[in-house]
């Protein structure tokens, strides 16, 4: 009888041990599932946005994340991130508080500002330094030399809307030509090669400032504001992925660092250039996870 009692006790201990182990494993699985290691980044076709995004991808993948990139117009990015079931997590190139203020007015209540990818963003009308005018107010007097055109980028960009405002405020006899960031740069490069006059919608940070001798036309009426390149996310991202959220909160590049990164990307391609820059600056970038 005593022997049977001991067997019964051993059986119960084994059952309890198995149950505890099972609970522990279940807890581990739940913890693994809740620690999201996937990040979806939405980005525009702008040089600095491409650079920020691919650097973030290289760093996150170095920390065992799966990263999905989606290229979209800025209005679609704001709209997607504001959804409760958003397919995206983060956007690193939100020009706030001014250039994208209309997008923020529409969607900001459903978004979260995590940090600043770059803290000294400027926009305006840009000409090669050999162009002898210095102010937007002087454009009309030389409109023929500019073919009566301002070479712009996509119509969804805040700088596109501000240029429409500048044309009105300064009563300019020049028309904004809507194109894209790469097309604008191609037009600028071609004009500089031939030493022709050209005016484009430009911004800092952008690698063109490192490659060419350029200047902003002064803006006495203050149409073009200063901004930061803010990092914004969908609501709940920082709870779903706290380590990645910390990385984005700390992510910040100085102008010289960003131009180095852009130069690496231009010298090879987006993936390879960003990976090379990450490996060369691993200590800095990895510190953003801490």
């Amino acid at each position: 009888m005593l022997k049977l009692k001991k067997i019964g006790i051993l059986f119960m201990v084994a059952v309890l041990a198995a149950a505890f182990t099972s609970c522990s494993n279940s807890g581990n699985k739940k913890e693994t599932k809740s620690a999201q290691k996937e990040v979806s980044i939405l980005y525009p076709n702008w040089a600095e946005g491409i650079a920020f995004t691919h650097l973030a991808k290289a760093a996150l993948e170095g920390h065992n994340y799966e990263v999905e990139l989606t290229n979209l117009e800025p209005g679609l990015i704001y709209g997607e991130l504001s959804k409760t079931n958003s397919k995206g997590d983060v956007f690193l190139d939100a020009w706030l508080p001014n250039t994208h203020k209309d997008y923020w007015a529409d969607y900001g209540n459903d978004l979260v500002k995590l940090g600043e990818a770059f803290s000294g963003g400027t926009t305006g009308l840009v000409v090669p330094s050999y162009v002898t005018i210095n102010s937007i107010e002087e454009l009309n007097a030389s409109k023929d030399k500019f073919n009566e055109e301002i070479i712009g980028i996509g119509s969804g960009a805040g700088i596109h809307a501000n240029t429409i405002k500048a044309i009105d405020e300064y009563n300019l006899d020049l028309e904004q030509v809507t194109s894209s960031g790469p097309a604008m740069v191609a037009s600028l490069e071609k004009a500089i090669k031939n030493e022709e006059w050209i005016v484009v919608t430009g911004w800092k940070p952008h690698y063109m400032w490192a490659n060419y001798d350029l200047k902003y036309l002064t803006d006495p009426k203050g149409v073009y504001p200063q901004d930061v390149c803010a990092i914004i996310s969908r609501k709940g991202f920082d709870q779903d992925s706290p380590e990645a959220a910390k990385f984005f909160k700390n992510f910040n590049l100085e102008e010289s660092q960003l131009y180095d990164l852009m130069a690496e990307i231009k010298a090879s391609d987006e993936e390879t250039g960003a990976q090379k820059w990450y490996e060369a600056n691993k200590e800095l970038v990895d510190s953003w996870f801490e």
Side-chain angles (χ1 to χ4, degrees), residues 21-290:
T21 301
S22 176
C23 288
S24 298
N25 288 341
S26 176
N28 287 339
K29 286 179 182 176
K30 185 177 181 180
E31 183 179 345
T32 301
K33 187 176 180 181
S34 66
Q36 180 177 314
K37 298 290 280 187
E38 298 175 356
V39 177
S40 171
I41 304 176
L42 310 183
Y43 72 105
N45 195 27
W46 305 332
E48 81 286 353
I50 291 170
F52 296 148
T53 299
H54 284 82
L55 175 60
K57 181 176 186 289
L60 288 164
E61 288 180 342
H63 287 253
N64 302 316
Y65 282 81
E66 292 183 16
V67 181
E68 181 182 30
L69 304 184
T70 304
N71 183 224
L72 289 174
E73 287 293 314
L76 296 176
I77 293 174
Y78 279 91
E80 182 61 37
L81 289 179
S82 70
K83 296 177 181 176
T84 54
N85 60 342
S86 174
K87 295 178 181 177
D89 293 314
V90 180
F91 171 37
L92 289 91
D93 203 12
W95 282 68
L96 296 172
N98 296 301
T99 303
H100 288 177
K101 65 180 179 182
D102 290 342
Y103 291 135
W104 194 256
D106 288 341
Y107 303 111
N109 288 338
D110 296 314
L111 300 170
V112 176
K113 290 180 185 174
L114 293 177
E116 297 177 4
F118 184 79
S119 302
T122 55
T123 61
L125 297 185
V126 176
V127 298
S129 292
Y130 58 74
V131 171
T132 55
I133 68 168
N134 295 301
S135 171
I136 296 175
E137 293 177 313
E138 299 176 76
L139 277 169
N140 277 347
S142 301
K143 62 182 181 182
D144 292 342
K145 290 186 176 181
F146 294 108
N147 294 320
E148 301 181 6
E149 292 179 342
I150 298 169
I151 306 301
I153 57 172
S155 59
I159 194 173
H160 186 276
N162 283 334
T163 300
I164 292 173
K165 182 180 177 183
I167 289 172
D168 182 57
E169 291 274 335
Y170 290 96
N171 196 25
L172 297 179
D173 296 327
L174 292 87
E175 181 181 359
Q176 180 176 205
V177 177
T178 302
S179 63
S180 66
M184 178 273 289
V185 172
S187 296
L188 181 65
E189 289 176 338
K190 181 180 178 182
I192 290 173
K193 183 179 180 181
N194 297 319
E195 295 193 6
E196 297 171 342
W197 282 34
I198 187 172
V199 55
V200 304
T201 59
W203 63 93
K204 284 186 178 181
H206 193 291
Y207 65 82
M208 65 183 184
W209 295 93
N211 294 344
Y212 303 108
D213 189 8
L214 305 172
K215 62 182 178 184
Y216 278 123
L217 295 178
T218 60
D219 175 23
K221 297 188 178 188
V223 173
Y224 294 97
Q226 292 194 357
D227 280 305
V228 301
C229 300
I231 301 173
I232 62 176
S233 76
R234 62 172 173 81
K235 280 190 172 178
F237 173 68
D238 53 347
Q239 285 84 45
D240 295 340
S241 190
E243 182 190 42
K246 178 180 285 187
F247 168 74
F248 286 115
K249 288 175 182 176
N250 292 326
F251 189 117
N252 187 266
L253 290 171
E254 296 177 357
E255 188 169 359
S256 60
Q257 293 169 330
L258 182 53
Y259 291 162
D260 285 345
L261 170 60
M262 289 176 167
E264 284 284 6
I265 289 174
K266 189 173 177 60
S268 47
D269 58 57
E270 297 160 356
E271 295 270 350
T272 307
Q275 185 65 38
K276 284 182 179 177
W277 200 89
Y278 168 57
E279 289 170 2
N281 298 273
K282 201 169 186 303
E283 184 176 355
L284 167 69
V285 180
D286 283 352
S287 73
W288 298 338
F289 287 92
E290 298 170 357

